[in-house]
Amino acid sequence: MQTVNPTTGKKIKFYPEYSLPKIDSILNRTEKSFQSWRTFSFKERGLLMKKAAEVLRTNKDQYARLMAQEMGKPMVQGQGEIEKCAIVCDFYAEHAEYFLTLEPVHTEANKSFVIYEPLGIVLAVMPWNFPFWQVFRCAAPTLMAGNAVILKHASNVSGCALAIEKIFKEAGFPSALFSNVRVSSSKVKDLIEDPRIAAVSLTGSTQAGKSIASHAGAVLKKIVLELGGSDPYIILEDADLENAVEACVNSRLINGGQSCISAKRFIVVASIFKEFEGMFVSKMQLQHMGDPLEEGVTIGPMARFDLRDHLHWQVNRSIKQGAKLLLGGKIPPGPGAFYPPTVLADVRHGMLTYQEETFGPVASLIKVADEQQAIRTANDTIFGLGAAVFSRDIKRAQRIACEDLQAGSCFVNDSVKSDPRLPFGGIKQSGYGRELAESGIREFVNVKTIYIK
Ligand code: NAP
């Protein structure tokens, strides 16, 4: 597996795939570690998880640099990502016991209660866009619940995968409890079928989700799927436009637009459309695109050349289908997988950037007559990850968020965010199951009923 620096297009390092005997030996060692780890108290597990947070904080710059080199994330965003990983480790170190504590239930029995037991080894198939955060948000609760983790990371961030494995080693976790297994996606089926793997968590594209769900379904293994999105942001006529534009642009451009919960479709009521459009385009222009290692850069290159080319194809197809290009839309000269902040207006049902996920800095502006049409348009998608609504009338916005929008998370007057305290996940083709909060740690456990007469 070859890692490539998307800023320069130069090869970084070749990582050979693991052989079958090596994978077999790792799985045996992980299985053995799990048997002892499951007997650790929450306090013992929590101490090690806190240590992992310390290792993350100590080496923050080193990990941020690795992400910049392997997938183009600006340094300051990488440092923020590492801090967030440390926060999720601390969060579960402090809350796992409370989330998984024995629950007495009143029945006719002398005693009845529910306990939460770990399932075993969880296979984590992870994406490149937040190479540390996605792994930690899955691993911290999964390990704190007493499970072990085998990581199959995205091939283009193989260096990050090794660094993460080392963090758990340095923190003092039992040997191989968290192990990296470097294989191509075509070998994931064999891992899922391996009897030592108890369950699977995938964060990735809807296409990968369908494939993994079918393989896991065939062997009846529990899965959590965190897949793609095309988050709609509704801007109503009574919105605070300064705040709305700020949130919309930040959400569209965070991580170069390569976030599942980036705002992707901007649904704006006709009476304020022109004003919103002007403010939005101006703010999209203010970005500083360049080498992610340089200070002040807000947008690096996209993570891979093929992803950049696909995004450009989606933009060109949409223009052919009738969308109007207001900004960007041209591949800049020079090396690197760069793509500029791009704005399309007059986007309508049937156009590619309306129907598909746009995983990069491309915004689709959609004009609607009123609130009802805005809601219909927001829900007119195969996805259901996040959604936001902007209005000064909080009651109205709350009603739309609670009753009308089809998504796993609905935010009012702010951009959709992931936060260890809040459940995170989607509906429709954005997947199923939840990560983070109490819901996340309860995904990979046996909810065991005990009844004593
Ligand atoms: P991806 O191509 O689906 O890859 C994700 C992971 O799955 C990688 O480890 C990849 O390995 C593996 N994979 C790909 N196809 C597979 C298959 N058919 N069977 C088994 N494994 C397979 O996604 P990505 O490009 O890395 O990430 C971007 C996508 O992830 C976007 O759609 C984004 O919205 C989604 N995402 C969702 C969330 C969420 O929380 N809902 C968060 C972040 C990202 P290789 O690299 O070796 O191919």
Side-chain angles (χ1 to χ4, degrees):
M1 287 169 182
Q2 181 67 57
T3 54
V4 174
N5 186 333
T7 307
T8 58
K10 291 198 175 126
K11 291 177 181 173
I12 307 173
K13 194 169 171 186
F14 180 75
Y15 294 88
E17 266 196 73
Y18 287 5
S19 66
L20 287 180
K22 181 166 177 165
I23 295 169
D24 189 52
S25 147
I26 291 173
L27 283 172
N28 280 340
R29 284 191 296 125
T30 306
E31 168 78 9
K32 202 162 155 232
S33 267
F34 163 67
Q35 293 304 343
S36 103
W37 179 246
R38 62 178 303 168
T39 67
F40 279 41
S41 67
F42 283 108
K43 192 160 175 237
E44 288 167 326
R45 290 179 203 154
L47 285 174
L48 294 176
M49 199 52 81
K50 286 255 170 196
K51 188 82 185 111
E54 256 176 68
V55 177
L56 279 158
R57 289 190 172 108
T58 306
N59 302 310
K60 193 181 283 190
D61 291 351
Q62 178 196 326
Y63 303 142
R65 202 166 307 114
L66 189 55
M67 287 190 274
Q69 284 160 350
E70 288 195 332
M71 49 72 66
K73 194 186 301 279
M75 278 299 281
V76 66
Q77 293 182 30
Q79 288 155 343
E81 177 169 338
I82 299 301
E83 178 57 29
K84 200 167 166 184
C85 294
I87 290 171
V88 84
C89 290
D90 285 341
F91 177 80
Y92 280 107
E94 288 157 18
H95 294 86
E97 183 164 18
Y98 170 74
F99 291 148
L100 299 180
T101 200
L102 177 152
E103 283 171 16
V105 182
H106 185 69
T107 64
E108 310 74 41
N110 286 335
K111 211 174 175 187
S112 50
F113 53 91
V114 175
I115 53 173
Y116 297 94
E117 282 187 333
L119 290 183
I121 304 178
V122 176
L123 170 66
V125 183
M126 291 291 134
W128 49 263
N129 63 336
F130 292 94
F132 280 71
W133 167 243
Q134 302 295 356
V135 176
F136 276 88
R137 113 179 155 180
C138 167
T142 303
L143 292 170
M144 281 305 298
N147 298 293
V149 173
I150 289 285
L151 168 67
K152 181 270 176 277
H153 216 328
S155 307
N156 58 325
V157 290
S158 292
C160 292
L162 283 178
I164 295 168
E165 185 180 54
K166 210 163 148 228
I167 290 167
F168 287 106
K169 240 183 233 165
E170 267 182 55
F173 279 76
S175 156
L177 185 74
F178 178 101
S179 290
N180 176 36
V181 166
R182 194 164 53 240
V183 289
S184 65
S185 54
S186 60
K187 306 265 172 56
V188 168
K189 176 176 181 283
D190 298 339
L191 283 172
I192 294 173
E193 287 171 354
D194 191 294
R196 289 165 290 189
I197 298 289
V200 187
S201 180
L202 165 73
T203 300
S205 58
T206 296
Q207 205 182 351
K210 286 178 182 170
S211 165
I212 284 180
S214 67
H215 297 315
V219 285
L220 290 179
K221 289 190 183 172
K222 167 82 192 261
I223 54 174
V224 166
L225 297 176
E226 295 285 1
L227 309 178
S230 184
D231 285 10
Y233 278 33
I234 294 178
I235 303 57
L236 294 171
E237 67 285 351
D238 56 358
D240 171 346
L241 274 192
E242 286 283 344
N243 173 57
V245 169
E246 171 92 14
C248 288
V249 171
N250 288 346
S251 174
R252 180 57 288 196
L253 295 182
I254 182 96
N255 207 36
Q258 302 163 117
S259 165
C260 53
I261 48 165
S262 267
K264 287 160 193 156
R265 294 175 298 135
F266 301 88
I267 301 164
V268 188
V269 167
S271 57
I272 52 154
F273 186 86
K274 266 285 152 213
E275 199 182 349
F276 177 88
E277 181 186 273
M279 290 166 73
F280 186 85
V281 171
S282 304
K283 199 156 175 61
M284 287 283 281
Q285 276 170 330
L286 292 178
Q287 303 304 314
H288 182 190
M289 191 165 74
D291 184 337
L293 290 169
E294 270 174 28
E295 214 177 311
V297 164
T298 54
I299 298 201
M302 288 185 60
R304 294 195 320 243
F305 286 84
D306 60 312
L307 297 168
R308 190 269 308 267
D309 295 345
H310 178 67
L311 184 71
H312 188 49
W313 177 78
Q314 286 176 309
V315 168
N316 281 335
R317 278 288 300 160
S318 298
I319 293 169
K320 281 204 182 97
Q321 290 169 320
K324 194 163 87 192
L325 182 68
L326 300 182
L327 181 72
K330 306 225 162 13
I331 292 179
F338 288 95
Y339 202 73
T342 294
V343 182
L344 294 172
D346 293 348
V347 174
R348 286 189 306 277
H349 178 96
M351 294 179 183
L352 272 199
T353 59
Y354 183 105
Q355 303 296 133
E356 297 183 351
E357 180 178 39
T358 45
F359 215 59
V362 173
S364 296
L365 305 190
I366 303 165
K367 196 196 293 183
V368 290
D370 54 20
E371 178 188 311
Q372 281 314 309
Q373 197 189 355
I375 293 164
R376 274 200 307 279
T377 306
N379 291 336
D380 182 22
T381 170
I382 57 168
F383 299 109
L385 195 54
V389 53
F390 293 83
S391 164
R392 283 197 175 90
D393 181 344
I394 299 294
K395 266 199 186 147
R396 177 189 189 193
Q398 184 174 326
R399 172 182 46 78
I400 294 170
C402 292
E403 296 172 20
D404 298 316
L405 292 175
Q406 298 165 357
S409 301
C410 294
F411 280 50
V412 169
N413 293 331
D414 204 350
S415 50
V416 179
K417 298 175 179 74
S418 61
D419 178 322
R421 296 164 297 182
L422 300 169
F424 184 92
I427 56 169
K428 295 157 84 175
Q429 292 200 15
S430 291
Y432 43 79
R434 289 292 177 267
E435 288 193 299
L436 300 177
E438 181 173 292
S439 318
I441 200 170
R442 288 197 175 177
E443 287 287 358
F444 296 120
V445 288
N446 173 20
V447 183
K448 194 173 193 180
T449 296
I450 307 292
Y451 187 98
I452 301 168
K453 202 163 176 193

mmCIF file of all heavy atoms in Angstrom, residues 130 229 231 233 251 254 259-264 357 359 385-386 409 415-418 424:
data_model
loop_
_atom_site.group_PDB
_atom_site.id
_atom_site.type_symbol
_atom_site.label_atom_id
_atom_site.label_comp_id
_atom_site.label_asym_id
_atom_site.label_seq_id
_atom_site.Cartn_x
_atom_site.Cartn_y
_atom_site.Cartn_z
ATOM 1 N N PHE A 130 -10.845 11.751 8.869
ATOM 2 C CA PHE A 130 -10.382 12.146 10.204
ATOM 3 C C PHE A 130 -9.614 10.918 10.716
ATOM 4 O O PHE A 130 -10.152 10.122 11.488
ATOM 5 C CB PHE A 130 -11.555 12.513 11.115
ATOM 6 C CG PHE A 130 -12.266 13.780 10.686
ATOM 7 C CD1 PHE A 130 -13.385 13.722 9.869
ATOM 8 C CD2 PHE A 130 -11.790 15.028 11.072
ATOM 9 C CE1 PHE A 130 -14.020 14.879 9.450
ATOM 10 C CE2 PHE A 130 -12.424 16.191 10.662
ATOM 11 C CZ PHE A 130 -13.538 16.118 9.848
ATOM 12 N N GLY A 229 -23.204 11.278 3.723
ATOM 13 C CA GLY A 229 -24.306 12.199 3.975
ATOM 14 C C GLY A 229 -24.370 13.296 2.922
ATOM 15 O O GLY A 229 -23.413 13.508 2.170
ATOM 16 N N ASP A 231 -25.839 16.604 3.928
ATOM 17 C CA ASP A 231 -26.578 17.370 4.933
ATOM 18 C C ASP A 231 -27.203 18.645 4.368
ATOM 19 O O ASP A 231 -26.509 19.488 3.779
ATOM 20 C CB ASP A 231 -25.647 17.746 6.093
ATOM 21 C CG ASP A 231 -25.351 16.557 6.999
ATOM 22 O OD1 ASP A 231 -25.702 15.416 6.624
ATOM 23 O OD2 ASP A 231 -24.779 16.766 8.090
ATOM 24 N N TYR A 233 -28.908 22.319 4.905
ATOM 25 C CA TYR A 233 -29.016 23.439 5.838
ATOM 26 C C TYR A 233 -30.127 24.337 5.300
ATOM 27 O O TYR A 233 -29.999 24.872 4.186
ATOM 28 C CB TYR A 233 -27.686 24.216 5.932
ATOM 29 C CG TYR A 233 -26.677 23.582 6.873
ATOM 30 C CD1 TYR A 233 -26.610 22.204 7.043
ATOM 31 C CD2 TYR A 233 -25.788 24.371 7.601
ATOM 32 C CE1 TYR A 233 -25.686 21.626 7.911
ATOM 33 C CE2 TYR A 233 -24.857 23.797 8.471
ATOM 34 C CZ TYR A 233 -24.809 22.424 8.618
ATOM 35 O OH TYR A 233 -23.888 21.857 9.474
ATOM 36 N N SER A 251 -18.972 24.963 7.957
ATOM 37 C CA SER A 251 -19.332 23.558 7.878
ATOM 38 C C SER A 251 -19.005 22.973 6.507
ATOM 39 O O SER A 251 -18.574 21.819 6.403
ATOM 40 C CB SER A 251 -20.813 23.381 8.175
ATOM 41 O OG SER A 251 -21.179 22.046 7.964
ATOM 42 N N ILE A 254 -14.822 22.809 6.436
ATOM 43 C CA ILE A 254 -14.003 22.139 7.440
ATOM 44 C C ILE A 254 -13.382 20.880 6.819
ATOM 45 O O ILE A 254 -14.039 20.176 6.049
ATOM 46 C CB ILE A 254 -14.845 21.782 8.707
ATOM 47 C CG1 ILE A 254 -14.008 21.116 9.787
ATOM 48 C CG2 ILE A 254 -16.017 20.880 8.406
ATOM 49 C CD1 ILE A 254 -13.512 22.075 10.807
ATOM 50 N N SER A 259 -15.954 15.983 5.047
ATOM 51 C CA SER A 259 -16.525 15.512 6.302
ATOM 52 C C SER A 259 -17.920 14.993 6.003
ATOM 53 O O SER A 259 -18.661 15.599 5.225
ATOM 54 C CB SER A 259 -16.592 16.662 7.312
ATOM 55 O OG SER A 259 -17.437 16.309 8.376
ATOM 56 N N CYS A 260 -18.273 13.873 6.663
ATOM 57 C CA CYS A 260 -19.606 13.304 6.431
ATOM 58 C C CYS A 260 -20.678 14.297 6.839
ATOM 59 O O CYS A 260 -21.729 14.361 6.215
ATOM 60 C CB CYS A 260 -19.752 12.011 7.214
ATOM 61 S SG CYS A 260 -19.376 12.189 8.953
ATOM 62 N N ILE A 261 -20.409 15.106 7.878
ATOM 63 C CA ILE A 261 -21.420 16.056 8.352
ATOM 64 C C ILE A 261 -21.130 17.486 7.888
ATOM 65 O O ILE A 261 -21.623 18.441 8.486
ATOM 66 C CB ILE A 261 -21.601 16.004 9.886
ATOM 67 C CG1 ILE A 261 -20.240 16.047 10.584
ATOM 68 C CG2 ILE A 261 -22.439 14.833 10.305
ATOM 69 C CD1 ILE A 261 -20.324 16.365 12.065
ATOM 70 N N SER A 262 -20.356 17.630 6.846
ATOM 71 C CA SER A 262 -20.258 18.958 6.220
ATOM 72 C C SER A 262 -21.630 19.319 5.652
ATOM 73 O O SER A 262 -22.315 18.454 5.100
ATOM 74 C CB SER A 262 -19.302 18.903 5.023
ATOM 75 O OG SER A 262 -18.005 19.236 5.408
ATOM 76 N N ALA A 263 -21.965 20.604 5.738
ATOM 77 C CA ALA A 263 -23.177 21.072 5.051
ATOM 78 C C ALA A 263 -22.927 20.906 3.560
ATOM 79 O O ALA A 263 -21.874 21.288 3.063
ATOM 80 C CB ALA A 263 -23.394 22.535 5.375
ATOM 81 N N LYS A 264 -23.882 20.336 2.852
ATOM 82 C CA LYS A 264 -23.653 20.108 1.411
ATOM 83 C C LYS A 264 -24.695 20.779 0.540
ATOM 84 O O LYS A 264 -24.398 21.278 -0.545
ATOM 85 C CB LYS A 264 -23.550 18.607 1.134
ATOM 86 C CG LYS A 264 -22.204 18.080 1.650
ATOM 87 C CD LYS A 264 -22.102 16.610 1.900
ATOM 88 C CE LYS A 264 -20.830 16.328 2.697
ATOM 89 N NZ LYS A 264 -20.850 15.113 3.466
ATOM 90 N N GLU A 357 -23.494 12.628 -2.645
ATOM 91 C CA GLU A 357 -22.640 13.292 -1.661
ATOM 92 C C GLU A 357 -21.506 14.000 -2.413
ATOM 93 O O GLU A 357 -20.890 13.410 -3.298
ATOM 94 C CB GLU A 357 -22.048 12.238 -0.719
ATOM 95 C CG GLU A 357 -21.144 12.825 0.343
ATOM 96 C CD GLU A 357 -20.599 11.767 1.304
ATOM 97 O OE1 GLU A 357 -20.264 10.654 0.863
ATOM 98 O OE2 GLU A 357 -20.505 12.071 2.504
ATOM 99 N N PHE A 359 -17.973 15.243 -1.695
ATOM 100 C CA PHE A 359 -16.989 15.113 -0.611
ATOM 101 C C PHE A 359 -15.789 16.001 -0.901
ATOM 102 O O PHE A 359 -14.705 15.537 -1.254
ATOM 103 C CB PHE A 359 -16.597 13.637 -0.468
ATOM 104 C CG PHE A 359 -16.345 13.243 0.958
ATOM 105 C CD1 PHE A 359 -17.332 13.370 1.920
ATOM 106 C CD2 PHE A 359 -15.118 12.741 1.354
ATOM 107 C CE1 PHE A 359 -17.108 13.020 3.241
ATOM 108 C CE2 PHE A 359 -14.872 12.383 2.669
ATOM 109 C CZ PHE A 359 -15.873 12.527 3.612
ATOM 110 N N LEU A 385 -28.033 11.903 7.600
ATOM 111 C CA LEU A 385 -27.028 11.994 8.660
ATOM 112 C C LEU A 385 -27.301 13.217 9.547
ATOM 113 O O LEU A 385 -27.796 13.093 10.649
ATOM 114 C CB LEU A 385 -25.629 12.050 8.025
ATOM 115 C CG LEU A 385 -24.441 11.801 8.941
ATOM 116 C CD1 LEU A 385 -24.572 10.488 9.700
ATOM 117 C CD2 LEU A 385 -23.137 11.802 8.145
ATOM 118 N N GLY A 386 -26.983 14.416 9.050
ATOM 119 C CA GLY A 386 -27.259 15.620 9.824
ATOM 120 C C GLY A 386 -28.125 16.587 9.036
ATOM 121 O O GLY A 386 -28.332 16.411 7.830
ATOM 122 N N SER A 409 -29.078 13.747 13.380
ATOM 123 C CA SER A 409 -28.830 14.919 14.227
ATOM 124 C C SER A 409 -29.380 16.159 13.545
ATOM 125 O O SER A 409 -29.097 16.388 12.362
ATOM 126 C CB SER A 409 -27.329 15.174 14.411
ATOM 127 O OG SER A 409 -26.696 14.076 14.979
ATOM 128 N N SER A 415 -23.901 24.747 13.167
ATOM 129 C CA SER A 415 -23.585 23.651 12.255
ATOM 130 C C SER A 415 -23.580 22.327 13.016
ATOM 131 O O SER A 415 -23.345 22.295 14.234
ATOM 132 C CB SER A 415 -22.228 23.897 11.595
ATOM 133 O OG SER A 415 -21.272 24.214 12.573
ATOM 134 N N VAL A 416 -23.829 21.253 12.305
ATOM 135 C CA VAL A 416 -23.879 19.919 12.914
ATOM 136 C C VAL A 416 -22.458 19.520 13.338
ATOM 137 O O VAL A 416 -21.512 19.700 12.577
ATOM 138 C CB VAL A 416 -24.432 18.892 11.892
ATOM 139 C CG1 VAL A 416 -24.470 17.495 12.485
ATOM 140 C CG2 VAL A 416 -25.810 19.321 11.409
ATOM 141 N N LYS A 417 -22.360 19.012 14.574
ATOM 142 C CA LYS A 417 -21.043 18.652 15.099
ATOM 143 C C LYS A 417 -21.112 17.290 15.779
ATOM 144 O O LYS A 417 -22.187 16.892 16.233
ATOM 145 C CB LYS A 417 -20.603 19.670 16.159
ATOM 146 C CG LYS A 417 -20.442 21.077 15.630
ATOM 147 C CD LYS A 417 -20.128 22.050 16.774
ATOM 148 C CE LYS A 417 -19.954 23.453 16.243
ATOM 149 N NZ LYS A 417 -21.218 24.096 15.850
ATOM 150 N N SER A 418 -19.960 16.636 15.871
ATOM 151 C CA SER A 418 -19.919 15.432 16.705
ATOM 152 C C SER A 418 -19.307 15.833 18.045
ATOM 153 O O SER A 418 -18.405 16.671 18.099
ATOM 154 C CB SER A 418 -19.103 14.321 16.035
ATOM 155 O OG SER A 418 -17.778 14.734 15.835
ATOM 156 N N PHE A 424 -24.280 9.993 17.923
ATOM 157 C CA PHE A 424 -23.955 10.393 16.560
ATOM 158 C C PHE A 424 -24.231 9.220 15.615
ATOM 159 O O PHE A 424 -23.787 8.104 15.859
ATOM 160 C CB PHE A 424 -22.468 10.767 16.484
ATOM 161 C CG PHE A 424 -22.060 11.296 15.138
ATOM 162 C CD1 PHE A 424 -22.093 12.652 14.883
ATOM 163 C CD2 PHE A 424 -21.677 10.437 14.114
ATOM 164 C CE1 PHE A 424 -21.737 13.146 13.631
ATOM 165 C CE2 PHE A 424 -21.315 10.920 12.869
ATOM 166 C CZ PHE A 424 -21.347 12.282 12.625
#
